[in-house]
Each structure stands twice: as structure tokens, then as C-alpha cells.
């Protein structure tokens, strides 16, 4: 069983996978779990927004599919428990000594065109180490950039062009996208993606392109025909509940 199978059961009902609950109850505040995603935002030489989001999207998935997160591995229990519930992520920014300190906690750092993000092993929010908890959450943003056309051979993550998100919020959403996408792939497709380090392309489409690719009321058809899945946000921060923040397409 893949560690991501609970996601497939919840997000792809048409697969007929067993899921005890597709609508998960809210956890008590002291039991809320999240994956910290640390964004390296150096003040003097800030990264590009797009490569930073690509690094964050890859890092989140890489933690889940790391051999240490598989049965018998040291990360398996916390990752499994988190994936089986709400896949919350909390993006924080760090630079200098604080960024270096974050490297000492279990997780995976990914670099894309000089931009770096580190996803940590998830756990209860109340148990986040003080070195991580002190990193700022609010105000993490970067100006829009103009990336080149997305490579045709990488999974494509499209940000909703009609919804404004800070880079921290967008980082969490693209991390959700890679996880859900990976959960739906066949084993050989996932292995092929893994050989490329789970690299992906993040772009913002035109409104017309977004509407053309959007699954609408046929998520099963969108996946089977266009290999597209939508990420719907729970609405805890920045956007309204149920907002589709990202469309992920396996190519």
C-alpha cells in the first residue's frame, strides 16, 4: 500500500478505494498536525517566485516518498498519520543562520534555479521545535516573475489566475497538488517521476486556459482523459473554503 493511498481514496472516489471518511472531522486544537515548509527568502538576494514554488512543491512530495517514510522507516508513523488526516502545511520564511538551523531537522531540501525550500517531517503543531516556530509565517511574499514556457515532460501545476495568494500560501497549495497527483499515478509513472527527482513546473495560466482545463463537475473524466486533478482549499487562510487553488496535470 502506498503511503499516499489515503489521499487517493479521499480525492478520487471513482477509484473505489476504501476510505473510512471522506469528510474528515476537525481535530482538537492540540492534535492538529501540519508539515512545516521552510522557504529560503534571503533579503539581499531573494529567489524567483516560480522556482521557489517549484522547490516547495517537490520538497513536500519528496518527504512523503522518501524511503524513511515507508513502512519500517523512521518517518513512517508521523507521515502516515498526517496523510491520513487533513494535509495541512505551514509555510515559514528563513534566512541566514535560521535557514541553516532548519537543515538540522528531519526533512528534505530542494533547490530549483537557486531557490531553496525545505519540507520537514509533519507532526503536531503544538510540538513544533522552537527554532522552527519562531520563523515568521505572515508577510512571506515575492513579486510575480515571468518564467519561460513550461517543459512538456514535467507535471504542470497551474495557479488559479483569479485568486491572489502570497508565496507562502501558494507554496502550501502546490505541495498539496504534487501529493494528490502522485497518489493517483500508476506505480511505473510514479517511479519515472521519481527518477527526475519529482520535478514539476508551476505556472499561472490565462483565465481562458484555466477554464478550459478545469474539471468542472466531472473530476473523473478530467483525470481519465486529461490527467488533471483540482486542489480545493479548506479555507483556513487567505481564500474561501472550497476555492480551487491549483490544477495539477500529469504529462
Amino acid at each position: 500500500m502506498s503511503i499516499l493511498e489515503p489521499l487517493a481514496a479521499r480525492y478520487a472516489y471513482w477509484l473505489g478505494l476504501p476510505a473510512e471518511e471522506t469528510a474528515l472531522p476537525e481535530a482538537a486544537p492540540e492534535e492538529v498536525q501540519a508539515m512545516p515548509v521552510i522557504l529560503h527568502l534571503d533579503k539581499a538576494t531573494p529567489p524567483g517566485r516560480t522556482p521557489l514554488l517549484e522547490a516547495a512543491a517537490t520538497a513536500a512530495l519528496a518527504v512523503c516518498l522518501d524511503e524513511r517514510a515507508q513502512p519500517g522507516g523512521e518517518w513512517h508513523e508521523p507521515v502516515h498519520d498526517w496523510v491520513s488526516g487533513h494535509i495541512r502545511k505551514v509555510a515559514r520564511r528563513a534566512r541566514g543562520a535560521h535557514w541553516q538551523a532548519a537543515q538540522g531537522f528531519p526533512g528534505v531540501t530542494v533547490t530549483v534555479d537557486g531557490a531553496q525550500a525545505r519540507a520537514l517531517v509533519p507532526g503536531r503543531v503544538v510540538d513544533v521545535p522552537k527554532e522552527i516556530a519562531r520563523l515568521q509565517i505572515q508577510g512571506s511574499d515575492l513579486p510575480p516573475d515571468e518564467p519561460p514556457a513550461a517543459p512538456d515532460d514535467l507535471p504542470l501545476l497551474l495557479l488559479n489566475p483569479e485568486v491572489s495568494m502570497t508565496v507562502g500560501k501558494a507554496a502550501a497549495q502546490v505541495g498539496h497538488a504534487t501529493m494528490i497527483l502522485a497518489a493517483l499515478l500508476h506505480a511505473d509513472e510514479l517511479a519515472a517521476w521519481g527518477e527526475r527527482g519529482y520535478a514539476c513546473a508551476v505556472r499561472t495560466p490565462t483565465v481562458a486556459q484555466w477554464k478550459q482545463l478545469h474539471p468542472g463537475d466531472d473530476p473523473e473524466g478530467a483525470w481519465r482523459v486529461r490527467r488533471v486533478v483540482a486542489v480545493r482549499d479548506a479555507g483556513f487562510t487567505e481564500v474561501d473554503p472550497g476555492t480551487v487553488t491549483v490544477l495539477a496535470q500529469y504529462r
Side-chain angles (χ1 to χ4, degrees):
M1 172 180 170
S2 166
I3 197 167
L4 295 176
E5 189 166 304
L7 287 184
R10 292 205 304 274
Y11 287 89
Y13 61 85
W14 61 86
L15 296 178
L17 297 174
E20 292 183 1
E21 287 193 55
T22 54
L24 295 169
E26 283 301 313
E30 67 274 11
E31 297 300 327
V32 171
Q33 299 186 52
M35 169 186 278
V37 179
I38 315 302
L39 308 177
H40 188 194
L41 290 175
D42 187 78
K43 184 178 291 186
T45 56
R49 182 184 178 96
T50 293
L52 185 62
L53 293 178
E54 292 173 346
T58 295
L61 179 58
V63 167
C64 298
L65 297 182
D66 190 284
E67 61 181 13
R68 291 165 288 186
Q70 306 317 305
E74 60 193 281
W75 297 354
H76 178 70
E77 185 174 350
V79 173
H80 176 268
D81 289 349
W82 174 65
V83 169
S84 298
H86 293 286
I87 55 169
R88 290 192 178 104
K89 297 181 179 71
V90 178
R92 300 175 182 271
R93 71 175 188 260
R95 62 176 182 265
H98 290 166
W99 169 253
Q100 294 305 320
Q103 307 308 302
F105 295 92
V108 175
T109 295
V110 172
T111 302
V112 176
D113 293 339
Q116 292 183 300
R118 182 171 181 82
L120 303 184
V121 173
R124 298 196 311 168
V125 172
V126 295
D127 295 331
V128 171
K130 64 180 184 302
E131 295 89 345
I132 302 302
R134 70 186 179 190
L135 299 179
Q136 195 163 354
I137 300 173
Q138 302 297 328
S140 299
D141 209 359
L142 290 169
D145 54 6
E146 297 183 6
D152 293 334
D153 58 345
L154 289 181
L156 179 62
L157 311 181
L158 297 177
L159 300 169
N160 190 330
E162 298 183 295
V163 173
S164 177
M165 292 183 283
T166 64
V167 72
K169 178 67 173 181
Q173 297 305 298
V174 293
H176 295 347
T178 50
M179 288 176 60
I180 296 170
L181 194 62
L184 300 183
L185 295 179
H186 297 300
D188 58 338
E189 294 173 323
L190 190 57
W193 193 9
E195 290 176 358
R196 302 202 61 179
Y198 306 113
C200 60
V202 175
R203 297 292 187 272
T204 301
T206 65
V207 172
Q209 290 168 333
W210 173 268
K211 291 181 177 179
Q212 183 177 25
L213 204 61
H214 197 292
D217 58 1
D218 184 21
E220 179 180 3
W223 176 250
R224 296 198 186 282
V225 177
R226 304 193 301 278
R227 311 303 301 278
V228 172
V229 64
V231 177
R232 291 186 181 275
D233 191 66
F236 294 115
T237 60
E238 294 194 27
V239 302
D240 294 330
T243 299
V244 175
T245 54
V246 181
L247 297 180
Q249 182 177 38
Y250 184 74
R251 305 186 298 171

